[in-house]
Amino acid sequence: NRYIHKGGNVVTSSAGVDAYTAFFSQHLRNADHIIHIAISPGLSRDYTMAEEAARAFDNVTVFNSERVTSATGLLILIAGKLVGQGYSVEEIIEELDAVKDRISCNFYIDNIDFMARRRDQYFDPARRKKEENKNLSYYKGPSYLKKIHGLIKTLNLHLGIRIRNNRANLSGIWIGNDRAAYKQFIRSVIPFDIIPDKEVLFITYSDIPVDTLLWIKEEISKVAGFERIIFNQMSAVISTNCGSGSFAISYLLKGNKNYNIGTFFDEEGIGSDIDENDKHYEKNENIENNENNEEETVNDGDQSLLISDEEESSQEKELKWYEKPEFIDGAAGVKNSGSEEAFRTVLKIFHDSIQIKAGEIDGFYKEGDWDNYTVKVHALKSSARLIGALSLADRAQLLENAGKEGNINYIRENQTSFMDDYRKYESLLAGIISDDNADDEDKPVKPMAEDYIMEGAYESLKDAASDMDCDMIEEVFKELDGYEIPAGEKDKISKLRERAGVFDYNGILEILNALEES
């Protein structure tokens, strides 16, 4: 930005076909398949160039994100989670195609000098021909900029731009000083009538002071309580289009599935939240004056590997409860679930659903309904990977593949042994659950939930499910945890917890509607 402010010209370009071909070739040495999640073709030639290069390979898939910057990053994080859960390439693409429309991506443009200048450059005939011959890619900016540039400058207006359906469209115009306009922009992109997924929100910024970023974070927190607000600086390409003082807000709207992408940011220094003592941003701000920055980074990494024998022995601690069982990878389960507490819930849901799911799979097997059989085995594979039952998940994957390929003989040869081993997890997991509750005798006896308490809980769950309010659903279950559930209600509560665990709001409503009719 400083270079442009001083009168310099900037030309941005996507990588060419040859560069993408070389990139794919290099990474296919260590991968069975590459999914390249590309920037919107309406804003860059990234998608076009990558897709053309992918034609030379049978195992490269190019996906149009229809977004840019951190909004595209959200799709990459989701894809990473799906890979970890054993989804196939086709399933990942299908999931990304469904979820990308739930990603909100909006830019606040402080002033449009940069964008108008880029548009003037793009429409200079000599320059445009020269750059097109080089396969360079200009983002030319919205067509209305040329007409209203002078008016915007005179009135000190600030623009909001929404990235959607491969286009950058004007979403709002605000007048006034920066913070007043910021506040209006924030409330327009996180309106009160939508339900965001509160795991992560990204703020991608250009030349905004840290104290202003912290103020923006506070204003966003007033509108919606995101668990993590991640700051990252705009790339050079985006920054030269948007200009100083601009920023983008990207987040995911709430859906029926929780991807747990917040776990990518648990480690210190990896997308950690910014605060007054954030060293990451101090380094970014002082990077030009720190000639030894690279050397210091290397040294920090080396020091993390130098552990003395004494330190090593002191680190030998008793295994955590989820590390003890040999039949599951508990560490993977915690990572996939997002936290130890969430893993406990996921394990219980998996355990409590074994009889139901086993019955469904057996039923479709006996009926010869191979389509539904394959769907149910796929669901079991995903949930098994989620809890770290990797061996069971791998066997389910083979049965799923057989179902898709019509290899019924393989299914018949392996169905009985697979289902026997699947049902064994009921007793195996019961041991973990009972060990976890071994001190229950020392706990005070819970009061029995009276009829009016259960009726109130069911009514609250119905309202929350209708509003797709997962936080309220969680609060209802937390309240019920303080009571002893009547024997006749335990099965209903268990089924409702199972549906809530996978954000199946329709399933919750079906159970509750059936209760009202009975």
Side-chain angles (χ1 to χ4, degrees), residues 476-490:
V476 174
F477 284 128
K478 281 183 180 178
E479 184 176 345
L480 287 176
D481 286 341
Y483 294 92
E484 180 67 28
I485 304 299
E489 305 296 322
K490 285 184 177 180

Side-chain angles (χ1 to χ4, degrees), residues 117-312:
R117 181 176 184 178
R118 297 298 298 277
R119 189 166 182 86
D120 287 341
Q121 291 175 342
Y122 184 85
F123 281 102
D124 175 55
R127 175 180 288 274
R128 183 177 180 184
K129 183 176 181 180
K130 178 181 177 182
E131 305 307 340
E132 284 183 346
N133 288 338
K134 293 182 180 179
N135 268 340
L136 296 181
S137 171
Y138 264 119
Y139 168 56
K140 57 184 178 293
S143 59
Y144 49 77
L145 285 182
K146 184 78 173 177
K147 300 176 182 177
I148 64 174
H149 182 203
L151 178 64
I152 290 174
K153 287 284 291 180
T154 301
L155 298 179
N156 189 28
L157 302 177
H158 314 280
L159 304 186
I161 293 179
R162 179 183 296 113
I163 309 298
R164 191 172 185 180
N165 298 328
N166 297 311
R167 298 183 62 186
N169 295 312
L170 183 68
S171 62
I173 299 177
W174 297 278
I175 190 170
N177 62 47
D178 283 342
R179 293 202 173 185
Y182 285 169
K183 187 178 294 187
Q184 295 176 68
F185 170 72
I186 290 167
R187 279 157 176 72
S188 73
V189 301
I190 315 175
F192 290 106
D193 60 347
I194 61 99
I195 303 175
D197 185 317
K198 296 182 180 179
E199 272 201 283
V200 175
L201 176 141
F202 285 101
I203 297 177
T204 310
Y205 65 94
S206 175
D207 292 344
I208 297 179
V210 171
D211 62 335
T212 303
L213 292 175
L214 293 172
W215 181 87
I216 291 172
K217 176 180 178 180
E218 183 179 346
E219 287 301 309
I220 290 174
S221 299
K222 292 177 183 178
V223 177
F226 286 93
E227 296 171 14
R228 289 188 177 276
I229 295 178
I230 309 297
F231 291 83
N232 57 292
Q233 296 191 50
M234 284 185 183
S235 67
V237 172
I238 300 293
S239 186
T240 56
N241 283 301
C242 295
S244 301
S246 300
F247 67 97
I249 291 179
S250 305
Y251 65 92
L252 187 64
L253 295 172
K254 193 67 182 176
N256 292 330
K257 186 174 293 186
N258 182 9
Y259 296 102
N260 288 318
I261 57 177
T263 58
F264 282 114
F265 305 98
D266 281 347
E267 297 180 23
E268 184 180 354
I270 303 178
S272 53
D273 294 351
I274 189 172
D275 57 36
E276 289 83 353
N277 301 313
D278 197 314
K279 296 179 181 179
H280 174 70
Y281 286 94
E282 290 174 8
K283 286 183 179 179
N284 282 344
E285 291 171 355
N286 300 324
I287 193 166
E288 291 185 356
N289 299 322
N290 187 357
E291 295 179 356
N292 298 318
N293 186 64
E294 182 175 350
E295 182 179 350
E296 289 174 4
T297 303
V298 173
N299 287 342
D300 287 343
D302 290 344
Q303 289 169 7
S304 68
L305 301 176
L306 300 177
I307 302 175
S308 67
D309 292 339
E310 182 179 349
E311 290 172 325
E312 201 169 276

